[in-house]
Amino acid sequence: MKYFLKRVIGTIPVLLGVILLIFIMLRIVPGNPAVLLLGEHYDQATVDRLTEIMGFNKPIIEQFINYILGALSGDLGISYKYSRPVTDMILEALPYTVRLAVMAAVFAWAIGLIAGIIAAVNNNNFIDRIFMGFSLMGVSMPIFMTSLVLQYFLSFKLGIFPMTEDGSFVSMILPAIALGWNSAGSIARMTRSSLIEVMQADYIDTARAKGLKRAAVIIFHALKNSLLPVVTMMALQLSSMLSGAVITESVFAIPGIGRLATTAIQNRDMPVLQGTVLFTTVIIIAGNLIADLLYSVLDPRIRKGE
């Protein structure tokens, strides 16, 4: 419990720092937010009245405190472009990002673990080189390149999958593969190196000396201990995917958090942009916290400071 509280307290300065940067970013953008909300036709009296309602005429410190209080209560402001609460827009986009991230994570974890185990078992032979070659390709290729290549061949040429998201499960498969391909390569390489290292430990030799078959040694002895760093990577990857797959959502026209952020940049809709950045920051911080806690559960020495 003490370890958990220490980690939670450690995230508070990071979150406050991000909120401060977002607040400053909103204030240094040229133009009056009230003017952006009113559009083309307005008079100065209306601008002044809306500026007062929005609180932009108050001292900067008071504005910052009000912004923090609003963020803590779930109020992230009003969109300049759509005149809608930013929180509602994020909650509408969130299910698309969650579905994409979960499907991508399942693909990455399944392929990455299987490939890493097979490569480790066949260390330094032809099969190992084949699997590690594909994993290196996944790690090296940018996500936008993977997305475009898959979209061109499997959607445009072969017509197996829809070009863009249409609300169906099938239309999310290709984006999930594109998003998870890079993570699958990282997991495969981490699993392979960790499993090879564990297989050289003394207790593995003892298990073999007792007459256990190779498969039993790997599954019941080596694999469990080799997954410590892999589990941490999985938690971090999932939080990264949930924080908004900007490129993937843009290529496949998925109305998720990432696309909401890019649209906000194009429209200079700063409340939406700062809301998505703050939301994704919270998810990333939570993902790092969960990864630390999982690692401490799997390895109690961390909680003891060893």
Side-chain angles (χ1 to χ4, degrees), residues 158-176:
L158 300 178
I160 299 175
F161 299 102
M163 287 284 290
T164 57
E165 196 274 338
D166 59 10
S168 64
F169 175 81
V170 176
S171 66
M172 295 294 288
I173 294 178
L174 202 59

Side-chain angles (χ1 to χ4, degrees), residues 116-301:
I117 293 171
I118 294 175
V121 171
N122 297 276
N123 185 25
N124 290 329
N125 64 17
F126 179 75
I127 296 178
D128 179 23
R129 294 187 180 92
I130 290 293
F131 276 92
M132 286 301 98
F134 276 104
S135 67
L136 180 61
M137 185 186 302
V139 173
S140 304
M141 284 185 64
I143 294 179
F144 78 89
M145 180 63 68
T146 304
S147 301
L148 293 174
V149 169
L150 291 176
Q151 193 179 53
Y152 178 76
F153 285 105
L154 298 183
S155 295
F156 181 73
K157 286 293 186 181
L158 300 178
I160 299 175
F161 299 102
M163 287 284 290
T164 57
E165 196 274 338
D166 59 10
S168 64
F169 175 81
V170 176
S171 66
M172 295 294 288
I173 294 178
L174 202 59
I177 295 174
L179 180 60
W181 183 257
N182 181 276
S183 298
S186 300
I187 291 175
R189 297 177 69 85
M190 176 70 75
T191 302
R192 174 187 178 275
S193 61
S194 182
L195 186 56
I196 290 175
E197 181 180 355
V198 170
M199 288 293 290
Q200 298 173 355
D202 293 336
Y203 68 89
I204 298 297
D205 294 334
T206 302
R208 287 172 176 168
K210 292 180 179 180
L212 292 178
K213 294 182 179 181
R214 187 183 186 188
V217 172
I218 294 174
I219 295 174
F220 297 107
H221 294 275
L223 189 58
K224 177 182 177 181
N225 293 320
S226 66
L227 288 180
L228 287 173
V230 180
V231 169
T232 304
M233 177 180 287
M234 287 178 174
L236 295 176
Q237 286 179 345
L238 180 59
S239 66
S240 177
M241 294 174 184
L242 283 172
S243 64
V246 177
I247 297 175
T248 307
E249 291 181 355
S250 299
V251 172
F252 292 96
I254 300 173
I257 300 293
R259 194 179 180 199
L260 184 64
T262 56
T263 303
I265 294 174
Q266 295 169 358
N267 296 329
R268 294 182 62 193
D269 197 344
M270 296 309 297
V272 175
L273 180 59
Q274 69 178 2
T276 55
V277 171
L278 179 59
F279 183 80
T280 55
T281 300
V282 171
I283 292 179
I284 292 175
I285 290 175
N288 281 271
L289 181 61
I290 292 173
D292 289 340
L293 296 178
L294 284 176
Y295 212 111
S296 67
V297 170
L298 295 172
D299 190 350
R301 293 175 299 176

